[in-house]
Amino acid sequence: MLGFVPPLPQQPGRPPAAGHMIVCGDDALARRLAVELRYIYGERVTLLLPPGRDPSSPETPLTQRGRAAALFGRMSAAMSRAGNGSGTTGGNGGNGDTNAGVEAVRIMEAPEPSDDALEEAGIDRAAALALVYDDDERNIRAALTARRLNPRLRLVIRLYNRKLGQHLEELLDQAAAVAMPGIDPALLDASTTVLSDADTAAPALAATALTGSSKVIQAEGLLLRAAERPPPRSGERADPGLCTLALLSSTTNDPAGAEGSDSSGDEAPRLLPDERAVAETTGRGTVVLEAISRADPARSATRMGGRGAPLSQIFSRRLRWSALGFALAAVALVIASLLTTKDTALHSAYLTVLDLLGMNDPAEGAPPARQIIQILSGIAGLLLLPLLIAAVLEAFGTLRTASSLRRPPRGLGGHVVLLGLGKIGTRVLVRLRELDIPVVVVEEDPEARGIPLARSLHVPTVIGDVTQEGVLEAAKVYRARALLALTSIDTTNLEAALYARSVKPDLRVALRLYDDEFATAVYRTLRTAHPQALTRSRSVSHLAAPAFAGAMMGRQILGAIPVERKVMLFAALEVAGHPQLEGHTVEQTFRAGAWRVLAIDATPPADRNPDLAALPPFDPEGDATPPPSGLVWDLHPGYVLRAQDRVVIAATRRGLAELLRRQRSAVPGR
């Protein structure tokens, strides 16, 4: 039965306003997304949560609703403390009215996003619907229902299966076009976006484990490489690259320093600073747009050890040394035969081989030297038989276990220890192998989602409970460069991190922790206990929510990069309808700490690629030269943006929210 739970002060019988946002989910991403829409974009939100205990989730109904209410309460209190300067944009006009913000959140409960549940949530008047259940089948079923109830609805769907997601996008968009014949597609407000929280968060999680790694955003086959650079030395001037995207906090590279949300005032990271701030700031690293390069079609993750099994994996070290000793003995016998019998080299080698194999006649009438060499060859030949048998047995064992999981090799070092091969861990593993970073995986469940991938990539894998003694040692954590604890249980991640620190105190550790307060306490404690080691905490829902929220706003989000505990977004926007952009020069549109125009799409509107984030398909039999990109990056500061232009911008979450105040499309009947 559908129920309405008023955890915050509001009118229980009040219907949702037209144009509101609906979020349906059963985990942390749904709550994070609702917070993002309400307190960043200023939208009215209806949050639909399951009332009963989910079999795959340890949360009870009270915990599910209680966490959502507590999250909204903390955000409302934070906005109240921040005042007008940090008020929400859109919705309430950005006046920081926290009471209005509280009333704009509606929490409902329903077992499934059925017809009745969606109608009660106001699906017919909604502008967008996000389906972020952890079950792909449930999201697909609800998406088909929602498209039937409201063809104009903007759909954002969470799917782990990327190939299925592409087909689903086409199907739902075709269904919307059929349901509203005669409507100009340019004016149609219906669209479908399929996203994966695992794909969105994996690059950031992989980058956390690597020092100085680059963050990459893709736009029309081009790679925007955002790279971290250390503070310049005394007397040197920092290279801004194409532009400076962020100033890191002054303690970001200091293991004992604060990170992101723990920083305050001038010490905090600054996104999109102006040139004056960059020139006047010293002792702080930067994130710069370093280069623009052509993107190749997505290559598959590489196998550790190459395509075939190397000799060291087929035959053991003892067997290889034994074979080498036998070969040296045979060569010595050939040389001795040459010196004593004055025979040719070829005939001496031939006789020695026959003696080794026991195929030669006894040298009864030969000189004593020849007889001694034959006896020694016979003795060496006796050693050949067990050597050949051992080689056959080891090769057979290697072939038999070729499809099994590899064990970490003895000399492995400088690798990343990855804990957990669930949805997130599997995507992070792919990302690390694409970067050719050696990885050792630790997984408790031998039937986990990512085990087949680890087997196909020949990634060393340790099956066992990471909290048990000896498991991390088997993963060679004492030689590792970093530890990524990505299991779904916070306490398991924490216990593994603490044990790894006891083995290697200076190990770089990145934890996946959901609860912000718990993550802050853990971070500060580990920072104090191990001042020489870098510790970072990451939340998948926190990293993925901005991309989902941007898609619900109906604009194209190219990607996001983490800057410590903040997030910078890259988006493609049409200039028309944005007074902050239209009619202004590129220099005038720049707003420090909010947004910056990076590029302009010079392609005629009729020929533009509708999805700048899509990689051009690779045709191995076609022209090897990719089509030229229509994006212009070396912009003149005096260029005036026109209504027909499309631009690529870098923006903070609040800056993008201000740019994306929703405007009703000119669709008849809206």
Side-chain angles (χ1 to χ4, degrees):
M1 178 178 179
L2 184 67
F4 177 73
V5 182
L8 302 173
Q10 54 185 331
Q11 300 177 13
R14 183 178 182 177
H20 66 292
M21 303 284 188
I22 302 176
V23 177
C24 301
D26 56 0
D27 60 6
L29 180 58
R31 298 187 288 270
R32 289 280 186 182
L33 180 54
V35 167
E36 189 87 11
L37 291 171
R38 175 57 215 149
Y39 294 102
I40 301 298
Y41 291 93
E43 296 294 332
R44 293 185 176 273
V45 181
T46 297
L47 178 59
L48 188 62
L49 298 173
R53 183 186 180 94
D54 188 85
S56 62
S57 174
E59 297 186 48
T60 62
L62 291 178
T63 303
Q64 188 78 274
R65 296 195 302 269
R67 284 192 173 185
L71 193 58
F72 290 128
R74 288 198 301 267
M75 288 300 301
S76 180
M79 303 301 277
S80 178
R81 291 193 301 269
N84 293 340
S86 301
T88 57
T89 59
N92 300 322
N95 58 3
D97 187 351
T98 57
N99 290 330
V102 167
E103 293 179 358
V105 178
R106 186 183 186 216
I107 301 180
M108 299 175 56
E109 57 179 10
E112 293 286 338
S114 59
D115 292 30
D116 294 338
L118 292 177
E119 289 176 356
E120 179 69 18
I123 192 71
D124 57 327
R125 299 180 299 277
L129 167 67
L131 298 167
V132 292
Y133 292 101
D134 195 41
D135 181 11
D136 284 3
E137 182 180 350
R138 182 186 294 185
N139 289 330
I140 294 173
R141 187 167 59 249
L144 296 174
T145 301
R147 180 60 80 214
R148 173 174 52 82
L149 296 176
N150 187 353
R152 294 186 176 91
L153 186 69
R154 187 180 303 117
L155 285 174
V156 178
I157 309 169
R158 172 189 184 183
L159 285 185
Y160 183 79
N161 191 326
R162 289 175 287 186
K163 183 178 295 186
L164 176 61
Q166 295 175 357
H167 296 310
L168 185 64
E169 281 187 2
E170 297 176 0
L171 174 64
L172 293 176
D173 285 342
Q174 290 175 1
V178 171
M180 293 183 292
I183 299 296
D184 186 357
L187 300 178
L188 189 63
D189 200 23
S191 63
T192 306
T193 304
V194 176
L195 297 173
S196 168
D197 58 330
D199 287 332
T200 305
L205 291 170
T208 303
L210 308 175
T211 303
S213 62
S214 298
K215 291 91 172 177
V216 175
I217 301 297
Q218 187 172 287
E220 204 179 33
L222 297 177
L223 295 180
L224 288 69
R225 191 164 63 248
E228 288 189 13
R229 294 188 177 177
R233 298 179 181 177
S234 178
E236 293 182 351
R237 183 176 180 181
D239 182 8
L242 296 178
C243 68
T244 301
L245 298 177
L247 288 172
L248 300 174
S249 62
S250 58
T251 57
T252 186
N253 291 318
D254 180 6
E259 179 200 15
S261 60
D262 293 334
S263 303
S264 60
D266 295 336
E267 302 297 323
R270 299 177 60 181
L271 304 185
L272 298 174
D274 53 26
E275 295 181 0
R276 180 179 178 182
V278 175
E280 294 178 351
T281 303
T282 58
R284 299 175 67 167
T286 58
V287 177
V288 300
L289 190 61
E290 188 177 54
I292 304 297
S293 60
R294 171 62 61 177
D296 295 327
R299 66 185 181 95
S300 59
T302 58
R303 297 186 182 187
M304 292 185 66
R307 288 288 177 184
L311 188 64
S312 60
Q313 296 180 16
I314 298 178
F315 302 113
S316 66
R317 179 180 299 180
R318 291 181 179 179
L319 186 61
R320 296 197 304 271
W321 278 110
S322 300
L324 178 60
F326 180 82
L328 292 176
V331 172
L333 290 172
V334 172
I335 295 175
S337 179
L338 284 173
L339 296 176
T340 57
T341 63
K342 307 299 182 182
D343 204 349
T344 63
L346 181 61
H347 192 258
S348 296
Y350 174 70
L351 292 178
T352 302
V353 171
L354 291 179
D355 291 336
L356 289 172
L357 298 177
M359 300 172 61
N360 204 2
D361 292 332
E364 295 180 352
R370 171 75 183 110
Q371 294 176 344
I372 294 174
I373 292 176
Q374 189 177 52
I375 293 174
L376 295 177
S377 299
I379 295 174
L382 294 176
L383 302 177
L384 178 61
L385 182 60
L387 183 64
L388 293 176
I389 294 176
V392 171
L393 293 177
E394 287 197 4
F396 177 75
T398 301
L399 294 175
R400 185 182 60 182
T401 59
S403 60
S404 63
L405 296 171
R406 289 183 57 200
R407 298 290 297 176
R410 293 184 179 180
L412 182 63
H415 58 286
V416 174
V417 177
L418 175 62
L419 309 184
L421 273 184
K423 292 197 304 182
I424 306 300
T426 302
R427 289 287 192 255
V428 173
L429 174 61
V430 171
R431 181 64 178 171
L432 290 172
R433 292 308 305 135
E434 287 175 349
L435 298 173
D436 291 328
I437 303 299
V439 185
V440 173
V441 172
V442 179
E443 173 57 52
E444 182 179 7
D445 183 9
E447 303 297 328
R449 182 190 297 265
I451 290 295
L453 176 66
R455 181 182 294 111
S456 65
L457 296 179
H458 294 170
V459 174
T461 304
V462 178
I463 301 296
D465 186 355
V466 71
T467 61
Q468 297 297 320
E469 188 173 352
V471 174
L472 284 178
E473 284 86 349
K476 305 293 192 279
V477 72
Y478 48 88
R479 294 180 183 172
R481 66 190 297 183
L483 172 72
L484 274 176
L486 303 182
T487 71
S488 58
I489 305 175
D490 286 2
T491 54
T492 299
N493 294 334
L494 176 59
E495 184 176 354
L498 293 175
Y499 186 77
R501 278 287 167 77
S502 67
V503 176
K504 187 178 181 180
D506 60 344
L507 181 68
R508 179 186 296 269
V509 172
L511 300 175
R512 174 190 176 188
L513 299 176
Y514 165 71
D515 188 84
D516 284 340
E517 296 181 359
F518 180 58
T520 301
V522 169
Y523 167 72
R524 289 175 176 172
T525 303
L526 288 176
R527 183 187 62 191
T528 303
H530 302 277
Q532 302 303 319
L534 285 170
T535 304
R536 297 293 180 257
S537 59
R538 294 290 181 260
S539 168
V540 173
S541 60
H542 180 79
L543 294 173
F548 280 81
M552 291 190 71
M553 299 303 296
R555 300 300 188 267
Q556 190 178 37
I557 303 297
L558 301 179
I561 63 170
V563 180
E564 300 180 9
R565 290 185 66 84
K566 295 186 177 182
V567 176
M568 182 180 298
L569 303 174
F570 292 81
L573 301 179
E574 302 288 344
V575 173
H578 295 283
Q580 304 94 331
L581 304 177
E582 187 175 354
H584 299 284
T585 65
V586 172
E587 185 177 14
Q588 292 172 344
T589 58
F590 171 61
R591 181 178 297 181
W595 62 76
R596 179 173 194 154
V597 175
L598 300 177
I600 296 177
D601 191 355
T603 308
D607 300 330
R608 285 176 182 168
N609 181 4
D611 186 6
L612 286 179
L615 190 67
F618 175 67
D619 184 8
E621 299 180 356
D623 186 5
T625 304
S629 173
L631 296 178
V632 179
W633 299 91
D634 52 344
L635 299 177
H636 190 281
Y639 177 81
V640 179
L641 299 180
R642 302 168 298 172
Q644 62 267 31
D645 289 335
R646 181 169 65 170
V647 296
V648 175
I649 67 166
T652 62
R653 292 191 292 180
R654 293 193 181 279
L656 186 63
E658 184 174 347
L659 282 173
L660 299 188
R661 290 181 180 177
R662 289 185 298 109
Q663 300 176 353
R664 297 285 188 261
S665 298
V667 179
R670 283 299 290 262

